[in-house]
Amino acid sequence: MKLSHALFSLGCTMVLATAATAALAAEPLKVGLMEDVSGDLAVLGKPKLNGSQLAVEEINKAGGILGRQIELIHLDPQGDNARYQEFTRRLLSKDKVDVLIGGITSASREAIRPIVDRTQTPYFYTNQYEGGVCDANMISMGAVPEQQFSTLIPYMVEKFGKKVYVVAADYNFGQISAEWNRTILKDVGGTVVGEEFIPLGVSQFAQTIQNIQKAKPDWLLMLNVGAAQDSFFEQAAAAKLNLPMGSSVKVMLGFEHKRFAPPALNRMHATANWFEEIDTPAANEFKKRWHAKFPNEPYINDMGYNAYNALYMYKTMVEKAKSTKLADIRKVIAAGEACIEAAEGKVCIDPKSQHASHEMRLIAVDEKHNVKVLKDYGTIQPYWLGQIGCDLTKKNDRKQYTPSDLPKKL
Amino acid sequence: MFAEIFSFFYQFADVFAFLILSAAGLAIVFGMMGVINMAHGEFIMCGAYVTVGLVHAGFPLPLAQLCGTLAAGLIGVAVEWSLVRKLYKRPLDSLLATWGLSLIVTQGMLLVFGSTLTGVGTPEGSFVVGDYTFSVYRMVLFAAAVAVLGGIYFIFMRTRFGVHARATMQNASIAQATGVRVGRVYALSFGIGAALAGLCGALYAPTMTLIPTMGAAFLVEAFVTVVVGGANVLLGTAPAGILLAVIRTGLNGWGGQIVGQIGMLLAVIVVIRILPEGVSGWLARKTR
């Protein structure tokens, strides 16, 4: 009796142990996602969540990553940077995610970064931004100033004139982007005739519109952010401001041309790696899959598209590294092998800065709010950080550089 | 020279209209009735959403705006009856309850209508003074703000309902003893406040991005104006609007939007330090 009892328990233990090992082998890969799907930035954040969900669904259906299914853990920080930090800690220490993705504003990214930097977890930032972050933990999927401003600003100066008025959101994105504008303008002989930094949440622009008319610029650089500040376009159109505009965030990110009645976005120009009007076989195929899953999505924006790519980029990296460890993933990046075939074309991660190369196109909005492609620049590498001395293949840096704050020695 | 003077007036009118239209409904609900209505912004959003929805459905804009105003007013009466009525003697609880209502409404709208609505475009044209072009619609907003102040004055000073309302707010029990139907007066006052909030949303809908949290853009200005104005809507709101608009317009023009915003909030601190009962309390003492 006693012996059989012991044998029975032993048997049970063995069955349980085998089951546990089997479970361990197929244990899901945890992806921690932080996207704002409520609050002032919900308009932008919803497509990001959708893009991530679409990619996870497709990858899981095709067998997962290294035979492991992906488990998506999404938290909604509602645009609150304190909540971004809290959720980062929670995803890293409680959920023990294998990779962290997300953040919309540069402020939220800078809130997340120091926390991730203390771990061995890769972090994907999926937005276009003001550039300059040289961080061993961070992989940036969006376009940066050398891809957006270095193409847009010379074009605007040549086409419309040298005098620029800047309307920017008053936080790191707006301030540093305005600095990029000054730096590039100097090279092409342009001048800033006015610069205005607007607190987030401001929605009334009568004074700004009048200041612009007083300064008589040839064109506007619009770096305003968030639903409230977007009210500028409607109010400027009502006051018949009618100036050409350029931006690194309008149209492809916030689809203002879909949200506002024409002609509020007339003469807006932007350089983008993705916009929904892009018309290539790969892009059309991607749009078809997206709209089949999310028929009510008003617009597939640049961030949502990048968020989708981020998961495929992660899949490629992990499969090439045969590991989910940051150090192994970085070896794949350092070898220049982190590339995916995306809807825009081939996208590769630059070894020195861990930023993505992009196919860049110059787009313009007409008075009926149709988007036209004016120029195709082909693939542009994220070269700036590498040029100023950021080299993550040699040194683990953690800093954000700007044109006025370069590394100490070149 | 004329262009400069006119442009200052235009900027002043613009800020004044925004302050007054934001605050008018709250001045009744919070200033007179003492209900700390954190859902004020959501009544504004309601007015805007109904307006835009009806314009998309083919209604002309002014009619849609009227419907937006009425819809907010009716919802206001319903909210008063179901939620606020129980909390007249518990102002802090009214704060919590309306705040909760505001959270539920914004999230509910996000779930039902999505993160944004397509705008309808600002009507009317523009006009030129000197080097500047101005939007005609901003002048319409200014006229509407003045009309709202006139309307409030008329309702509360020249009608039978106004007499009953003022009596009820001063001393509900005595008003009831003299035969005023206090419950109905409260419900109607709250409804008028909500309708004015809806009017604000309806008027600003063609000029703004439409998102479920858009009411938040008005809430700070509304509370600031009402607190500076004090308890008496008729004496307080208009002078507070003028005072704050002059300060803000001057600072906006001189140092940009940030300075304008900081300056206005500093002005509020100074005003409530010197005049704890707001402008209307001070005016009432002066005229006594």
Side-chain angles (χ1 to χ4, degrees):
Chain A
M1 183 69 187
K2 237 181 188 174
L3 183 70
S4 69
H5 190 91
L7 270 176
F8 177 72
S9 7
L10 186 69
C12 284
T13 321
M14 277 174 68
V15 168
L16 276 176
T18 334
T21 335
L24 204 66
E27 193 184 309
L29 222 156
K30 285 189 187 169
V31 175
L33 186 71
M34 290 187 288
E35 303 293 6
D36 299 332
V37 291
S38 53
D40 189 39
L41 297 165
V43 187
L44 310 176
K46 194 77 207 307
K48 296 189 76 183
L49 174 63
N50 291 353
S52 311
Q53 285 172 338
L54 179 63
V56 166
E57 188 185 285
E58 287 177 8
I59 293 172
N60 279 345
K61 215 176 266 175
I65 300 178
L66 293 178
R68 292 166 71 183
Q69 293 283 297
I70 300 174
E71 184 192 339
L72 193 64
I73 305 171
H74 169 245
L75 300 176
D76 175 14
Q78 308 180 345
D80 180 340
N81 293 332
R83 217 169 273 144
Y84 264 107
Q85 297 196 309
E86 182 193 325
F87 288 168
T88 306
R89 287 195 197 96
R90 179 166 141 193
L91 288 168
L92 292 174
S93 54
K94 184 166 156 271
D95 297 314
K96 301 208 172 6
V97 295
D98 295 285
V99 57
L100 197 70
I101 305 180
I104 289 195
T105 62
S106 292
S108 68
R109 181 196 67 240
E110 291 306 300
I112 295 169
R113 220 154 53 75
I115 304 171
V116 190
D117 283 350
R118 293 195 287 267
T119 69
Q120 289 300 312
T121 311
Y123 164 53
F124 281 78
Y125 181 56
T126 48
N127 283 24
Q128 70 70 234
Y129 79 109
E130 72 283 359
V133 174
C134 177
D135 186 327
N137 276 63
M138 189 176 110
I139 294 141
S140 167
M141 292 299 294
V144 283
E146 57 267 39
Q147 291 159 332
Q148 296 193 296
F149 289 133
S150 303
T151 48
L152 176 72
I153 292 169
Y155 175 87
M156 296 298 285
V157 168
E158 190 192 330
K159 186 82 192 279
F160 300 109
K162 291 176 186 303
K163 289 189 286 178
V164 189
Y165 196 100
V166 182
V167 180
D170 192 15
Y171 71 106
N172 50 357
F173 166 75
Q175 296 280 359
I176 297 174
S177 295
E179 198 182 318
W180 270 100
N181 172 54
R182 289 194 290 269
T183 310
I184 294 170
L185 271 184
K186 209 182 285 168
D187 294 340
V188 293
T191 47
V192 177
V193 294
E195 231 173 27
E196 206 163 316
F197 294 99
I198 315 280
L200 283 173
V202 164
S203 62
Q204 302 301 314
F205 287 95
Q207 183 74 50
T208 303
I209 290 164
Q210 193 185 306
N211 293 345
I212 291 170
Q213 294 186 332
K214 199 173 201 168
K216 294 191 178 64
D218 296 319
W219 58 282
L220 303 175
L221 183 64
M222 297 305 304
L223 302 167
N224 50 339
V225 171
Q229 292 193 357
D230 279 342
S231 302
F232 172 88
F233 297 111
E234 193 58 68
Q235 292 166 23
K240 294 275 184 300
L241 193 61
N242 202 22
L243 283 168
M245 299 180 275
S247 178
S248 62
V249 286
K250 297 301 154 193
V251 185
M252 67 283 185
L253 251 75
F255 47 101
E256 290 80 2
H257 61 306
K258 298 278 179 202
R259 280 160 45 203
F260 290 106
L265 262 280
N266 186 23
R267 306 177 86 191
M268 172 63 85
H269 297 70
T271 33
N273 61 308
W274 170 265
F275 45 98
E276 197 181 312
E277 292 82 359
I278 195 168
D279 188 17
T280 63
N284 289 334
E285 205 272 325
F286 169 74
K287 284 187 269 182
K288 216 163 70 189
R289 274 183 285 138
W290 183 298
H291 286 307
K293 185 164 166 65
F294 303 107
N296 295 327
E297 188 83 83
Y299 191 83
I300 305 172
N301 71 353
D302 171 85
M303 299 174 176
Y305 160 82
N306 286 333
Y308 173 89
N309 281 353
L311 277 152
Y312 275 97
M313 185 60 88
Y314 180 65
K315 177 177 189 283
T316 306
M317 289 171 174
V318 169
E319 284 176 348
K320 287 209 166 128
K322 296 193 176 59
S323 153
T324 55
K325 288 208 178 80
L326 179 65
D328 298 326
I329 286 174
R330 288 185 59 211
K331 275 180 209 150
V332 175
I333 298 175
E337 285 171 356
C339 293
I340 56 167
E341 289 302 331
E344 71 185 81
K346 194 175 185 186
V347 171
C348 289
I349 301 294
D350 167 51
K352 282 184 171 172
S353 63
Q354 300 187 173
H355 281 52
S357 71
H358 282 298
E359 287 271 327
M360 299 304 293
R361 292 172 173 88
L362 179 70
I363 54 177
V365 180
D366 68 16
E367 62 179 356
K368 292 197 175 107
H369 282 194
N370 296 314
V371 172
K372 258 191 323 207
V373 179
L374 299 182
K375 247 181 185 179
D376 189 338
Y377 295 97
T379 303
I380 301 181
Q381 299 296 331
Y383 55 79
W384 185 71
L385 273 169
Q387 273 182 2
I388 62 162
C390 161
D391 190 350
L392 292 166
T393 61
K394 298 209 175 89
K395 188 169 139 254
N396 288 354
D397 214 337
R398 301 277 187 221
K399 210 173 136 42
Q400 178 170 20
Y401 299 105
T402 64
S404 65
D405 178 22
L406 299 171
K408 281 202 184 85
K409 54 176 187 204
L410 284 173
Chain B
M1 189 58 201
F2 174 72
E4 294 298 325
I5 293 168
F6 179 80
S7 92
F8 185 85
F9 166 72
Y10 176 87
Q11 295 304 332
F12 164 79
D14 188 60
V15 177
F16 177 78
F18 191 70
L19 291 171
I20 292 299
L21 289 170
S22 305
L26 195 70
I28 293 171
V29 171
F30 173 56
M32 271 179 75
M33 301 175 67
V35 177
I36 306 174
N37 183 18
M38 297 298 282
H40 181 66
E42 280 56 54
F43 286 113
I44 293 176
M45 182 263 291
C46 169
Y49 265 55
V50 170
T51 302
V52 170
L54 289 177
V55 170
H56 285 312
F59 282 58
L61 182 65
L63 183 62
Q65 287 173 323
L66 183 67
C67 293
T69 310
L70 290 176
L74 288 176
I75 294 173
V77 172
V79 167
E80 196 276 345
W81 181 75
S82 58
L83 185 72
V84 177
R85 175 159 294 191
K86 317 268 190 285
L87 304 173
Y88 283 125
K89 298 224 169 78
R90 299 149 62 190
L92 287 179
D93 295 345
S94 76
L95 183 152
L96 267 188
T98 51
W99 186 43
L101 179 70
S102 130
L103 292 177
I104 293 167
V105 169
T106 46
Q107 289 299 322
M109 294 300 271
L110 186 67
L111 290 174
V112 177
F113 293 102
S115 44
T116 180
L117 279 189
T118 313
V120 292
T122 311
E124 305 297 331
S126 59
F127 57 99
V128 180
V129 177
D131 287 342
Y132 306 117
T133 52
F134 298 100
S135 162
V136 175
Y137 191 72
R138 305 304 283 196
M139 291 285 100
V140 173
L141 291 176
F142 177 64
V146 175
V148 161
L149 287 174
I152 293 177
Y153 179 83
F154 178 78
I155 289 175
F156 286 95
M157 298 304 281
R158 290 278 181 270
T159 66
R160 194 174 182 76
F161 165 76
V163 176
H164 288 178
R166 283 184 287 140
T168 305
M169 305 311 161
Q170 259 180 20
N171 194 325
S173 344
I174 292 180
Q176 193 161 27
T178 58
V180 175
R181 299 169 87 165
V182 172
R184 190 183 286 181
V185 168
Y186 272 131
L188 264 178
S189 306
F190 196 91
I192 291 172
L196 288 174
L199 175 68
C200 170
L203 287 169
Y204 277 94
T207 73
M208 283 180 69
T209 314
L210 294 150
I211 57 167
T213 49
M214 67 180 285
F218 298 87
L219 200 61
V220 174
E221 328 270 322
F223 269 101
V224 158
T225 311
V226 174
V227 166
V228 170
N232 190 324
V233 186
L234 308 167
L235 279 176
T237 309
I242 293 171
L243 175 72
L244 292 173
V246 166
I247 292 172
R248 183 153 195 179
T249 310
L251 290 175
N252 269 355
W254 174 69
Q257 293 250 23
I258 303 172
V259 177
Q261 210 170 38
I262 296 171
M264 193 177 76
L265 294 176
L266 283 178
V268 173
I269 296 173
V270 172
V271 168
I272 56 177
R273 178 70 189 82
I274 302 173
L275 311 170
E277 289 161 53
V279 179
S280 67
W282 177 72
L283 281 176
R285 248 185 298 130
K286 277 262 160 190
T287 50
R288 204 169 282 153

